[in-house]
Amino acid sequence: MKTHAQAVVIGGGLVGCSILYHLCKLGWRDVILLERDELTSGSTWHAAAGIHGLHDNNNISKIQYYTMQLYKELEKETGQGCGIFQPGSLYLAQTKDREHQLRIQAAKAKYFKVDFHELSRDEAERLHPLVNFDGIRCVMYEPDGGNVDPSGVTHAYAAGARAMGAEIQRFTPVTATTQRADGSWDVETTKSNIHAGVVINAAGLWGREVAKMAGFELPLMTMEHQYFVTETIPEIAALGRRLPSVADRDGEYYLRQEGQGLLVGAYEKDGRFWSENGTPMDFGHELLADDLDRISENILRACARLPVLEKAGIKRVINGPMIWSPDSAALFGPVPELQNYYCCNGIIPGFSQSGGLGLLLAQWIIAGEPEYDMFAWDMARYGDWADKAFAKTRALDCYANRFKIHFPYEEREAGRPVRTRPAYERQKALGAVFGMSFGWEHPLWFASAGMEPVDEYGFERQSWFKAVQAECEALRNGVGVIDISNFGKYRISGAGSADWLDRVVANRVPRVQGRSCLTPLLGVRGGIAGDFTITMLDEDDYLMVGSGIAERYHKRYFDTVARPASVNFRSISAEYCGVNVAGPKARDVLSRLTNADLSNEAFRFMRSQRIALAGLDAIALRVSFTGDLGWEIYVPQANQLQLYDAVLEAGAEFGIVPVGSRSLLSLRVEKGYGSWGREYSPEYWPQEVGIDRLIKLDKPEFLGRDAYIALKDSAPREVLVQMKVEVTTADAVGGEPIFLPDGAPIGRVSSGAYGFGAKASLALGFVKTAHATAGTVVDIAILGQPHRAEILAAPAFDPTGSRLRG
Ligand SMILES: Cc1cc2nc3c(=O)[nH]c(=O)nc-3n(C[C@H](O)[C@H](O)[C@H](O)COP(=O)(O)OP(=O)(O)OC[C@H]3O[C@@H](n4cnc5c(N)ncnc54)[C@H](O)[C@@H]3O)c2cc1C
């Protein structure tokens, strides 16, 4: 066995083997995989191994298509059969919402140029004569859907990796991982030790235990999951062909052909935890005691849909453990607090995603960043606040609602509240409906009088649309107060602070007290890894404000630039709170609370001052993400309620209203402002979103500088545009494909909302450069149907910026 390696992959399940294979594919050959037992010994060996392509998240759809294609290539490359069956999948809609969901996916499929199309009932019956289609509103067909052989696929990855020079050691449990001072790792096993450049935790069911060996916790929880396989069903045997699988998600089961019978599995409402305090190291190729009663309701629904199932005998029941993250998406990427340690854990649809996971993780390790924005999967989306109790409650919620439709803007209630700030109860009393922002409860919208403060979800406009309208109109016509405590806030102080910041971000850091700048943070590939406002509070004292949900993600970038001992960099996100007082009357309201001169001459746009406000020592910044006149006011968290109350009281005579983040979305979309994770992402080049003017190449050094120089003269592939959309019942939400009127796909929406100032439904999105001209008419597929939209020449709200600077 090797004693040194570039990378050690811990875990020889489906995912670990894919990572090993992709590391080799991308050129690393000095790599080794350590498996505790036999390959496939975790969740992999007993999986139903269904595969499908489309996902609500566009990037995840891309990697699922990549994975499905890869299995065929792997078979050819390695000679190892992957047991691929692709008889197609039928997706059934029993409800209007499910129909919307399927039509949305069908429109996205056109954009991806993959096949996912509607069938008539006759066509569906011909494809699957055993299904009773009564009560089905629409049927979609994905010809590539099917299943693979779990062991075959895993061994194909392993064979491919071995052929390229990788080493695989079975029956070699890793017992400890210890970091050396130079950032490399000592990996101890029961056989011998390996000195590794990089460690990858792909330990599946044991992901928590392997993480603990490196001194950190992963928010994961293990649960039981069951499916059964029937004896031969004569009607299936008589057909003599493979039937498509059936995705009747409103019935909450999955079903496909297995041999000459059927395989049926279900995620029951009262799911069972398994070995919650840790997966035993000696758990092997074992199954758990079955209990089909728990899924009997789901089975009855399956029987109603496929009556042949009722009489079928059960050949075998599989009850195996699987491991869940708090939102059922992967915990993926480098651990921000460690060097050279990567995770790929909590994988639920591993067979649909293994290839893409392996490819993107290998890119991350070797090239420093994956080609797609994977924030939805990035382990950095969780912090310490996602503790064991949270992971457990969420895992059960995810499990029980596996097939539920996840609507735009949905906020899961399970496990909340985790963290609240001092104004929480006041905001609640004011009718706030909360969402969760990096663990914190944060107001989404405020119920108007006579309205229940309860969120409703759907693809069309919901009752909260009216509340958001009231908030936006009150702010645009007068003034509103927005809690912005969820922004990520950092304090950088000490000699050399400005120089250090200049080496991190792309714009020139202000050197004049009270000045602020907007700046991108460039990623390894020259894309946009972040956007920040940096303010010089004092000599060697800076405030930096950015996306709060991306705080742990951004840490990875900040930590790559060496900090002199004199520079103190710390997050003050939990220590400081903020409000944005915005709207044409913002100055009047704040002037009631401070003696500071807030006139335009004394306090200009993009300037900051330390002021006494409502008796508090506050940092005031004249900026507003609403695109209106406004100030961001920051105070220590202990003073949040005092500040919030004082602003509301002083604003009463001006008709101030509390405003939530759904309104902020509408306000910034009508102003055309991009937001991190939507318009700003490492996938997009600065010239594509129009922030290249903020990059100062005369600075000798900053993150991503060389990568940006290499791409800066390339024509934008796509351009960010604002569009006015003709809709009546539903606004764009993001992810919708954009077509030319002749049906040619040219882009996709990044954010959408009704703009109450502009009195129009609006969308921001990326379209191919050739079509990104003002006045171009396009079709946006909202609810899967084409809706006419026009590219605007200037922001729909306040195009000259007079409100902002007034
Ligand atoms: C009943 C059931 C049905 C399923 N059906 C489907 C389906 O239809 N489609 C689908 O896509 N997914 C399905 N899944 C999920 C799928 O099985 C998982 O997504 C996938 O197997 C995860 O693979 P993995 O490699 O991450 O983890 P695992 O398979 O758990 O592999 C982890 C490996 O790490 C090894 N290991 C752990 N600790 C150590 C250590 N200290 N040292 C060395 N090695 C170690 C283990 O021995 C194990 O082999 C199903 C799961 C279950 C339980």
Side-chain angles (χ1 to χ4, degrees), residues 10-16 34-38 40-44 46-50 172-174 202-206 210 213 225 227 254 281 318 320-322 347-352:
I10 305 175
L14 168 74
V15 170
L34 303 173
E35 165 53 45
R36 186 187 58 102
D37 200 289
E38 216 16 296
T40 78
S41 291
S43 285
T44 298
H46 51 59
T172 311
V174 170
L205 287 177
W206 294 263
V210 170
M213 291 178 197
H225 177 55
Y227 68 82
Y254 56 86
M281 195 43 110
I318 302 286
M322 62 205 299
I347 318 300
I348 300 304
F351 289 89
S352 298

Side-chain angles (χ1 to χ4, degrees), residues 207-229:
R208 294 170 295 181
E209 287 69 31
V210 170
K212 276 197 190 109
M213 291 178 197
F216 69 100
E217 301 276 340
L218 283 173
L220 289 168
M221 183 49 64
T222 28
M223 301 205 59
E224 298 187 12
H225 177 55
Q226 300 184 88
Y227 68 82
F228 63 89
V229 177

Side-chain angles (χ1 to χ4, degrees), residues 744-802:
I746 56 162
R748 72 219 166 273
V749 172
S750 48
S751 302
Y754 191 86
F756 297 97
K759 297 193 174 25
S761 187
L762 298 164
L764 299 177
F766 289 86
V767 298
K768 286 192 181 136
T769 311
H771 304 290
T773 41
T776 302
V777 172
V778 297
D779 276 331
I780 299 182
I782 295 175
L783 302 179
Q785 307 294 344
H787 285 73
R788 192 177 183 280
E790 186 185 328
I791 296 178
L792 300 180
F797 173 76
D798 191 25
T800 59
S802 59

Side-chain angles (χ1 to χ4, degrees), residues 473-489:
E473 287 176 351
L475 186 147
R476 287 285 189 233
N477 299 326
V479 58
V481 55
I482 309 169
D483 186 344
I484 52 164
S485 308
N486 61 332
F487 289 2
K489 301 169 283 293

